[in-house]
Amino acid sequence: MTDNRAKNPAWAGKPDKVLESPQETDSRQVLGKWAGLAHVFDEIGSTMDEARSLAKKGAPHLSLVVANRQTKGRGRLARAWESCEGGLYFTLVTRPALPVSRAHLVLFSASCSLCRVLREKYGVDASVKWPNDLLADGKKISGMLSELAADGERVSHLNLGIGLNVNNDPTKANPQSTSLRLLLGKTFEPLLVLKDFLDEFEKALASIEDGHVMNRWKALSQTLGREVTISTTTETYSGIAQDVDEDGALILILKDGRVQKVIHGDCFHAEKANES
Ligand code: BTN
């Protein structure tokens, strides 16, 4: 695990809260085999920025930047991501052997992996929401951000930034959100959830080209079959989410019966008829 005090201005003049404390030993033990690739920060601006700089310097596949807190956490579509202590905030540098046109498979695989971990290891009623959110009991528990660099047609690196609400209470920023603690009434070690995710995601990456990633995503989806509104930078569409194609695009049946394919956008689920 990298000692980031020397190179990161975030540590300047601050007491070391992680790296010389008993927690540091714990971090290494909790992360197990992933500790060697981990850059652990107590506080950072955004794990995305540090991961980008590591990737540009040639950091290997599955290098990891994780922080207890972010002061400039970023969400999709230029929004802020509230990143107080208690949540899990990390960016994973991936170097998949994929053409850029297939890079979305890494994101959809990561969503499936985290969803399975929450279901199988934590007993949470988790599902995936297009494009890469995770819901638990119908509320947002995790979001994902990505940055890609290409070398010609191939992916050079694809950085995956994931925020998961673990012990924090995100409901002030977003009433339609939740955390593991709010759902299950107890606290969890965020780094243990991270290790569980990495173990699962490593397996998922091994089968990323088996042609079933999107089918696996569909099986965990809350979006398909639902009435949704999609807001893009220029348009808003409402209709039934019929399918997700092999490119990860959402296929909508609009109210007038036309078929609309959407590649990027914010997705809002309408309440189901039997929901309160
Ligand atoms: C979303 O808007 O749903 C995506 C949120 C992504 C947040 C994570 S937290 C770790 C990484 N660092 C950031 O600044 N953002 C991502």
Side-chain angles (χ1 to χ4, degrees), residues 46-48 70 72-76 79 81 88-91 133 140 143-145 161-163:
S46 165
T47 57
M48 298 305 288
Q70 298 183 115
K72 290 187 178 145
R74 297 201 295 271
R76 292 177 64 241
R79 284 190 286 253
W81 184 260
L88 173 62
Y89 316 105
F90 69 95
T91 302
D133 281 355
K140 180 159 173 166
M144 189 183 300
L145 196 64
I162 298 184

Short mmCIF file of all heavy atoms in Angstrom, two decimals, residues 46-48 70 72-76 79 81 88-91 133 140 143-145 161-163, ligand 1:
data_model
loop_
_atom_site.label_atom_id
_atom_site.label_comp_id
_atom_site.label_asym_id
_atom_site.label_seq_id
_atom_site.Cartn_x
_atom_site.Cartn_y
_atom_site.Cartn_z
N SER A 46 -10.61 14.43 -5.10
CA SER A 46 -11.41 13.39 -5.75
C SER A 46 -10.48 12.23 -6.09
O SER A 46 -9.39 12.45 -6.64
CB SER A 46 -12.08 13.92 -7.01
OG SER A 46 -12.55 12.85 -7.80
N THR A 47 -10.92 11.02 -5.81
CA THR A 47 -10.12 9.85 -6.17
C THR A 47 -9.94 9.77 -7.69
O THR A 47 -8.98 9.17 -8.18
CB THR A 47 -10.77 8.55 -5.66
OG1 THR A 47 -12.09 8.45 -6.19
CG2 THR A 47 -10.81 8.50 -4.14
N MET A 48 -10.86 10.41 -8.45
CA MET A 48 -10.76 10.37 -9.91
C MET A 48 -9.48 11.07 -10.37
O MET A 48 -8.81 10.62 -11.31
CB MET A 48 -11.96 11.06 -10.58
CG MET A 48 -13.31 10.44 -10.31
SD MET A 48 -13.47 8.70 -10.72
CE MET A 48 -13.49 8.70 -12.50
N GLN A 70 -13.83 12.75 0.59
CA GLN A 70 -13.43 13.57 -0.57
C GLN A 70 -13.95 14.98 -0.34
O GLN A 70 -15.09 15.17 0.10
CB GLN A 70 -14.03 13.03 -1.85
CG GLN A 70 -13.60 11.63 -2.24
CD GLN A 70 -14.18 11.20 -3.57
OE1 GLN A 70 -13.47 10.98 -4.53
NE2 GLN A 70 -15.50 11.08 -3.63
N LYS A 72 -13.85 17.19 -2.92
CA LYS A 72 -14.41 17.60 -4.22
C LYS A 72 -14.92 16.38 -4.98
O LYS A 72 -14.59 16.18 -6.15
CB LYS A 72 -13.36 18.33 -5.05
CG LYS A 72 -13.05 19.70 -4.45
CD LYS A 72 -12.14 20.50 -5.33
CE LYS A 72 -11.89 21.86 -4.70
NZ LYS A 72 -10.57 22.37 -4.91
N GLY A 73 -15.69 15.55 -4.28
CA GLY A 73 -16.23 14.34 -4.92
C GLY A 73 -17.14 14.73 -6.08
O GLY A 73 -17.94 15.66 -5.96
N ARG A 74 -16.98 14.02 -7.18
CA ARG A 74 -17.76 14.34 -8.38
C ARG A 74 -18.77 13.25 -8.70
O ARG A 74 -18.47 12.07 -8.57
CB ARG A 74 -16.82 14.45 -9.60
CG ARG A 74 -15.81 15.56 -9.48
CD ARG A 74 -15.30 15.95 -10.87
NE ARG A 74 -14.56 14.91 -11.54
CZ ARG A 74 -13.25 14.73 -11.42
NH1 ARG A 74 -12.55 15.52 -10.63
NH2 ARG A 74 -12.65 13.78 -12.10
N GLY A 75 -19.95 13.68 -9.16
CA GLY A 75 -20.94 12.74 -9.65
C GLY A 75 -21.06 12.86 -11.16
O GLY A 75 -20.30 13.61 -11.79
N ARG A 76 -21.99 12.13 -11.74
CA ARG A 76 -22.21 12.22 -13.19
C ARG A 76 -22.77 13.59 -13.53
O ARG A 76 -23.37 14.27 -12.70
CB ARG A 76 -23.18 11.13 -13.64
CG ARG A 76 -22.61 9.73 -13.54
CD ARG A 76 -23.64 8.68 -13.93
NE ARG A 76 -24.03 8.80 -15.31
CZ ARG A 76 -25.28 9.05 -15.72
NH1 ARG A 76 -26.25 9.18 -14.85
NH2 ARG A 76 -25.56 9.14 -17.00
N ARG A 79 -22.24 16.93 -11.46
CA ARG A 79 -22.81 17.17 -10.13
C ARG A 79 -21.76 16.86 -9.06
O ARG A 79 -20.79 16.16 -9.31
CB ARG A 79 -24.04 16.29 -9.91
CG ARG A 79 -25.26 16.80 -10.65
CD ARG A 79 -26.49 16.06 -10.20
NE ARG A 79 -26.46 14.73 -10.77
CZ ARG A 79 -27.26 14.33 -11.77
NH1 ARG A 79 -28.14 15.14 -12.28
NH2 ARG A 79 -27.18 13.12 -12.23
N TRP A 81 -20.60 14.97 -5.56
CA TRP A 81 -20.95 13.73 -4.84
C TRP A 81 -20.55 13.92 -3.39
O TRP A 81 -19.37 14.02 -3.06
CB TRP A 81 -20.20 12.53 -5.45
CG TRP A 81 -20.57 11.21 -4.84
CD1 TRP A 81 -19.87 10.53 -3.89
CD2 TRP A 81 -21.72 10.40 -5.14
NE1 TRP A 81 -20.51 9.35 -3.57
CE2 TRP A 81 -21.65 9.25 -4.33
CE3 TRP A 81 -22.80 10.54 -6.00
CZ2 TRP A 81 -22.60 8.24 -4.37
CZ3 TRP A 81 -23.76 9.53 -6.04
CH2 TRP A 81 -23.66 8.41 -5.24
N LEU A 88 -17.98 4.80 1.13
CA LEU A 88 -16.86 4.19 0.40
C LEU A 88 -16.68 4.97 -0.89
O LEU A 88 -17.63 5.12 -1.67
CB LEU A 88 -17.18 2.72 0.10
CG LEU A 88 -16.19 1.98 -0.81
CD1 LEU A 88 -14.80 1.92 -0.18
CD2 LEU A 88 -16.70 0.56 -1.09
N TYR A 89 -15.46 5.49 -1.09
CA TYR A 89 -15.15 6.31 -2.27
C TYR A 89 -13.88 5.78 -2.90
O TYR A 89 -12.82 5.85 -2.25
CB TYR A 89 -14.97 7.79 -1.87
CG TYR A 89 -16.02 8.27 -0.91
CD1 TYR A 89 -15.74 8.45 0.44
CD2 TYR A 89 -17.33 8.49 -1.35
CE1 TYR A 89 -16.72 8.86 1.34
CE2 TYR A 89 -18.32 8.89 -0.47
CZ TYR A 89 -18.00 9.06 0.87
OH TYR A 89 -18.98 9.45 1.75
N PHE A 90 -13.97 5.26 -4.09
CA PHE A 90 -12.75 4.73 -4.71
C PHE A 90 -12.80 4.84 -6.22
O PHE A 90 -13.87 4.93 -6.83
CB PHE A 90 -12.49 3.28 -4.30
CG PHE A 90 -13.47 2.28 -4.84
CD1 PHE A 90 -13.19 1.57 -6.02
CD2 PHE A 90 -14.66 2.02 -4.20
CE1 PHE A 90 -14.09 0.63 -6.53
CE2 PHE A 90 -15.57 1.09 -4.70
CZ PHE A 90 -15.27 0.39 -5.86
N THR A 91 -11.61 4.84 -6.81
CA THR A 91 -11.47 4.76 -8.27
C THR A 91 -10.49 3.64 -8.58
O THR A 91 -9.42 3.53 -7.98
CB THR A 91 -10.96 6.09 -8.87
OG1 THR A 91 -11.87 7.13 -8.51
CG2 THR A 91 -10.88 6.02 -10.38
N ASP A 133 -26.33 3.02 -11.91
CA ASP A 133 -26.65 3.22 -10.49
C ASP A 133 -27.03 1.90 -9.85
O ASP A 133 -27.47 0.97 -10.54
CB ASP A 133 -27.87 4.14 -10.35
CG ASP A 133 -27.53 5.60 -10.53
OD1 ASP A 133 -26.33 5.92 -10.68
OD2 ASP A 133 -28.46 6.42 -10.52
N LYS A 140 -31.39 5.08 -4.18
CA LYS A 140 -30.01 5.03 -4.68
C LYS A 140 -29.02 4.76 -3.54
O LYS A 140 -28.99 5.49 -2.55
CB LYS A 140 -29.67 6.35 -5.37
CG LYS A 140 -28.25 6.40 -5.93
CD LYS A 140 -28.10 7.43 -7.01
CE LYS A 140 -26.66 7.59 -7.46
NZ LYS A 140 -26.51 8.34 -8.71
N GLY A 143 -23.37 5.08 -6.95
CA GLY A 143 -23.27 5.66 -8.29
C GLY A 143 -21.88 5.43 -8.85
O GLY A 143 -20.93 5.17 -8.09
N MET A 144 -21.77 5.53 -10.14
CA MET A 144 -20.50 5.23 -10.80
C MET A 144 -20.18 6.28 -11.86
O MET A 144 -21.08 6.78 -12.53
CB MET A 144 -20.62 3.87 -11.48
CG MET A 144 -19.32 3.33 -12.02
SD MET A 144 -19.58 1.76 -12.88
CE MET A 144 -20.25 0.78 -11.59
N LEU A 145 -18.90 6.58 -11.95
CA LEU A 145 -18.40 7.57 -12.90
C LEU A 145 -17.24 6.92 -13.63
O LEU A 145 -16.50 6.14 -13.02
CB LEU A 145 -17.89 8.73 -12.05
CG LEU A 145 -17.62 10.08 -12.65
CD1 LEU A 145 -18.91 10.68 -13.16
CD2 LEU A 145 -17.06 11.00 -11.54
N GLY A 161 -14.92 5.11 -11.11
CA GLY A 161 -15.08 5.72 -9.79
C GLY A 161 -16.41 5.32 -9.20
O GLY A 161 -17.46 5.49 -9.82
N ILE A 162 -16.37 4.76 -8.01
CA ILE A 162 -17.60 4.26 -7.39
C ILE A 162 -17.77 4.87 -6.01
O ILE A 162 -16.83 4.92 -5.21
CB ILE A 162 -17.58 2.71 -7.32
CG1 ILE A 162 -17.51 2.14 -8.74
CG2 ILE A 162 -18.80 2.19 -6.57
CD1 ILE A 162 -17.58 0.64 -8.84
N GLY A 163 -18.95 5.37 -5.75
CA GLY A 163 -19.32 5.83 -4.42
C GLY A 163 -20.42 4.93 -3.90
O GLY A 163 -21.40 4.68 -4.60
C1 BTN B 1 -23.14 9.44 -9.79
O1 BTN B 1 -23.38 10.63 -10.06
O2 BTN B 1 -24.04 8.65 -9.53
C2 BTN B 1 -21.71 8.96 -9.80
C3 BTN B 1 -21.05 9.14 -8.46
C4 BTN B 1 -19.61 8.68 -8.44
C5 BTN B 1 -18.94 9.02 -7.11
C6 BTN B 1 -17.58 8.39 -7.01
S1 BTN B 1 -16.94 8.49 -5.36
C7 BTN B 1 -15.39 7.94 -5.92
C8 BTN B 1 -15.13 8.63 -7.24
N1 BTN B 1 -14.54 9.93 -7.01
C9 BTN B 1 -15.36 10.91 -7.37
O3 BTN B 1 -15.09 12.13 -7.28
N2 BTN B 1 -16.48 10.43 -7.87
C10 BTN B 1 -16.50 8.98 -7.88
#
